[in-house]
Amino acid sequence: MKKLLSLVLALAMMMTLVSVASADPLTASVAGFGGDVTITVELDADGVITAISADGSTQTPEVGGAAAATLNEGALAALVGTKLADVDTKAIDSVTGATITSDAIKTAIDMLKAQAGGAEAAQVKDGTYTVTVPGYSVTEQMTLNFTFEGGKLTNIETVTAGNTPVIFATVEERLYPRLIESQSLETDAVSGATVASSAVKQALAMAIEQAGGSAADWHTPIEKSTEVIDLDGYDVIVVGLGGAGMTAYLSAAEKGATVFGIEKAAKVGGNSTNTAGPMAINPPSRVEANGGQIVPPEDLLKDWAEYTTIDGQQDAKLDVVEKFIAESGETLDWMESYTFEFAPQMAAFFHPAGWQVWATYGGKNGGTKDDGYIAAIETAKAMNEKNDYMLELEAKELIMEDGKVAGVKAVAWDGTTYNIHGKSVVLATGGYAGDPELEKEYIHGVWKTEAMTQCDGAGIRMAQEAVNANLYNMDVVPVSHIAQVYNIIKNDDLTKDQKAVLTSLVIDNSYPVIGENGKRVNDQIGMFFSFDCWAAGPTYFVIYSEDDINAFKTEGLKNANVPMFLAQGGTVEANKPVTDLDTILEVGKQYGDVYEAASLKELGEAINVPNITELVEDNGKAYYAVKGASYIYSTCGGLEVDTNINVIDTDGNPVPGLYATGNDSIGVLLASEKAYVTYGGAAAGWSLTSGRLAGANAAAYAKGE
């Protein structure tokens, strides 16, 4: 009997061990800064944590990713052996400079506690709670008031936006009511305003906690629509309503076509509303006012050809360049005949020739670009009662019938699928600055962006998948006019003046400037650091010795450098001792902007530049690196097109009824691995002109003309 009892007990223990070993881990995901942060927890039979880890791989590696790693190695590792139900996430310190990621991790743990223990949701207390968090702006934080009544969110009020006003308006108009309706932090971000949306949800989570609730209880799933809607009978479908898409939509409608527009973001205009102006060669109205030709087109074409020649081989498609030069001026006058106004005088850019090739613009009667874009789309829509467009609608694939382009499948923000059928399609999705994988494949890594990242290469991928479209110069250097520290400090951890000092250090060409590719690029940086730092790649380091740093503390910076863009409002002076430099550098370290090492060799190891001793003179002392980034507006490679803006397949044939415009095809104007041309406004000009030409050609094709 004893033997039998012992056997039963042994079997029971084995079954318990098997049960514990085979139990599925608990996981929970919460939106962080760059994507979801996921917590995985393994528990024993008593609810004791046996393993716990945070996956922050979608976050910024040096900040959010580093925060996840720091918590994994520290606070989370310390939780092993603790009952999950007893974990107090409020006692877990957030990682400095990575509040969003840290809070997401803590919220995910609270979600797992509720999942494992079935805890009752904590009731929020009625009242209005004010929260301040960094938004998109680099000069102003976002402050919001959240009102709760009866345990529910009833109102959101903007105190300070901390974001681009016209973009944040889409958050106020769309995200605020959706949050109130859903009562869930799982509500999707507004496309085209991802950073602002994430900041609003972070602020709401903080307000819930202030009100005595738990943000973990507000991550309730949101049901998506499964409805499928067919829209038939269109001549032209325009995918993307930025600069290229707007002119394509207007041009096609003007030619009598029925047109449907698809825009992933919550507003029209895309990145084109953030640029100063387009290239426009000899607009007839300006030529007349000037008393003759402004720019010799043959000279411009010759210079363009020389710039885009590599090792004796012409890389740009000069017939398309010539077409662009000939048509860009016409585009300016055509746009003025509708809802836009351009500066009366053409202006020159940085090119040595000083050709007057571009002009700033806005809406009619002093309106903004956004005013002009909205008015243009509405004008085009009114040209035919069937014409229409939708915002927050994401194109997924081209519809093919009998081997021909026959429309676009798209999904709306609420999950509804739209099959939009038409005779031709114009791709105007803005390039691939929002797709990290394409960036890694073609332009040497992920670049910081000042652009709207809904431009994620959708048009390029759809054309490749559906018609085997040919790529052309995908590796052209992206448009970069901005340099700043890699992780811009947007809160009050530094004063404005302290931020100005840090920025000055990261744009100083009188000290070694080294890319992560292990190349020193000082000789490639001219008088405008921001326009040339792309030569180092997506990121770079400015190197300072311990002697340099000590001199700055007692004698001041040798140069007071102020950025052309993304300045944060502070003042920096040369030859004025920076007595608080240690504080500035220490905060910079916490944000991943500053590295310090006891020797030059150790610094190279820290920043992954092992050949640093070959690039910088070693004085045998400690060294510092200040990390900077080129902030880009757009990528410059894409699909091959011909002079009709028709997409070309890999066999060299034009694809009937398919057109690619703007940054989806600008590679045909440029050269592999070389920078964007410097005449002024070429990308904006190509967007507006290629869109106008493509819209007209698509309409003619659809109508059989």
Side-chain angles (χ1 to χ4, degrees), residues 163-313:
N163 294 274
T164 307
V166 69
I167 294 177
F168 195 68
T170 66
V171 175
E172 293 175 311
E173 295 165 5
R174 294 168 182 265
L175 182 62
Y176 284 11
R178 291 173 191 171
L179 286 169
I180 293 169
E181 179 182 0
S182 69
Q183 300 290 304
S184 173
L185 287 165
E186 291 296 312
T187 304
D188 287 343
V190 174
S191 183
T194 306
V195 173
S197 299
S198 297
V200 169
K201 292 197 288 182
Q202 180 203 8
L204 173 56
M206 294 169 68
I208 291 167
E209 299 285 344
Q210 282 186 27
S214 171
D217 298 332
W218 288 63
H219 282 272
T220 52
I222 296 177
E223 187 175 348
K224 291 284 189 179
S225 170
T226 58
E227 185 179 9
V228 178
I229 297 174
D230 285 288
L231 301 176
D232 298 302
Y234 286 97
D235 293 319
V236 180
I237 300 168
V238 180
V239 184
L241 294 175
M246 178 275 294
T247 54
Y249 190 99
L250 180 57
S251 179
E254 178 188 67
K255 299 298 182 184
T258 54
V259 192
F260 190 92
I262 297 171
E263 175 51 56
K264 183 179 178 181
K267 64 178 283 292
V268 299
N271 290 313
S272 290
T273 57
N274 300 325
T275 58
M279 173 181 282
I281 310 302
N282 297 321
S285 60
R286 274 48 173 186
V287 169
E288 182 180 354
N290 188 62
Q293 192 178 75
I294 301 170
V295 178
E298 62 279 1
D299 291 348
L300 176 57
L301 180 62
K302 180 181 177 182
D303 190 82
W304 200 308
E306 290 175 354
Y307 180 76
T308 53
T309 296
I310 302 176
D311 297 328
Q313 297 294 317

Side-chain angles (χ1 to χ4, degrees), residues 50-213:
T50 59
I52 181 169
S53 63
D55 179 4
S57 57
T58 63
Q59 310 302 293
T60 304
E62 291 81 358
V63 180
T70 297
L71 290 172
N72 278 334
E73 296 168 4
L76 298 189
L79 296 178
V80 174
T82 304
K83 279 193 172 185
L84 178 60
D86 294 337
V87 173
D88 179 8
T89 54
K90 291 182 174 63
I92 298 175
D93 291 333
S94 295
V95 177
T96 302
T99 304
I100 295 178
T101 301
S102 300
D103 287 350
I105 289 170
K106 290 188 281 186
T107 298
I109 294 173
D110 284 336
M111 290 169 65
L112 291 179
K113 288 172 61 179
Q115 182 180 335
E120 196 171 313
Q123 184 82 357
V124 296
K125 299 173 184 175
D126 287 357
T128 298
Y129 302 85
T130 302
V131 178
T132 298
V133 295
Y136 186 80
S137 171
V138 300
T139 58
E140 176 189 64
Q141 294 195 81
M142 182 175 72
T143 300
L144 304 177
N145 288 333
F146 297 93
T147 299
F148 299 94
E149 296 177 7
K152 292 184 177 295
L153 175 67
T154 58
N155 189 54
I156 306 173
E157 177 190 14
T158 305
V159 180
T160 58
N163 294 274
T164 307
V166 69
I167 294 177
F168 195 68
T170 66
V171 175
E172 293 175 311
E173 295 165 5
R174 294 168 182 265
L175 182 62
Y176 284 11
R178 291 173 191 171
L179 286 169
I180 293 169
E181 179 182 0
S182 69
Q183 300 290 304
S184 173
L185 287 165
E186 291 296 312
T187 304
D188 287 343
V190 174
S191 183
T194 306
V195 173
S197 299
S198 297
V200 169
K201 292 197 288 182
Q202 180 203 8
L204 173 56
M206 294 169 68
I208 291 167
E209 299 285 344
Q210 282 186 27

Side-chain angles (χ1 to χ4, degrees), residues 17 78 132 191 274 326 359 398 422 435 568 630 643:
L17 289 172
T132 298
S191 183
N274 300 325
L398 294 176
D435 188 311
Q568 297 184 271
S630 294
T643 55

Side-chain angles (χ1 to χ4, degrees), residues 683-700:
W686 173 250
S687 290
L688 299 173
T689 297
S690 64
R692 177 177 69 86
L693 296 175
N697 291 337

Side-chain angles (χ1 to χ4, degrees), residues 280 367 397 430 440 452 505 561 593 641:
E397 61 185 76
K440 291 174 186 176
M452 298 172 70
L505 291 174
N561 306 294
D593 292 327
V641 297

Side-chain angles (χ1 to χ4, degrees), residues 298-371:
E298 62 279 1
D299 291 348
L300 176 57
L301 180 62
K302 180 181 177 182
D303 190 82
W304 200 308
E306 290 175 354
Y307 180 76
T308 53
T309 296
I310 302 176
D311 297 328
Q313 297 294 317
Q314 177 53 234
D315 207 22
K317 296 185 69 170
L318 290 187
D319 58 341
V320 183
V321 175
E322 186 173 18
K323 181 80 169 182
F324 171 46
I325 290 172
E327 294 286 347
S328 57
E330 298 286 346
T331 300
L332 185 151
D333 281 0
W334 175 77
M335 289 176 65
E336 284 199 320
S337 72
Y338 282 103
T339 62
F340 297 93
E341 289 181 356
F342 286 80
Q345 179 67 42
M346 304 301 295
F349 209 61
F350 293 145
H351 192 273
W355 289 317
Q356 296 173 308
V357 299
W358 72 293
T360 57
Y361 73 115
K364 288 281 191 186
N365 302 315
T368 65
K369 289 188 187 70
D370 287 284
D371 295 332

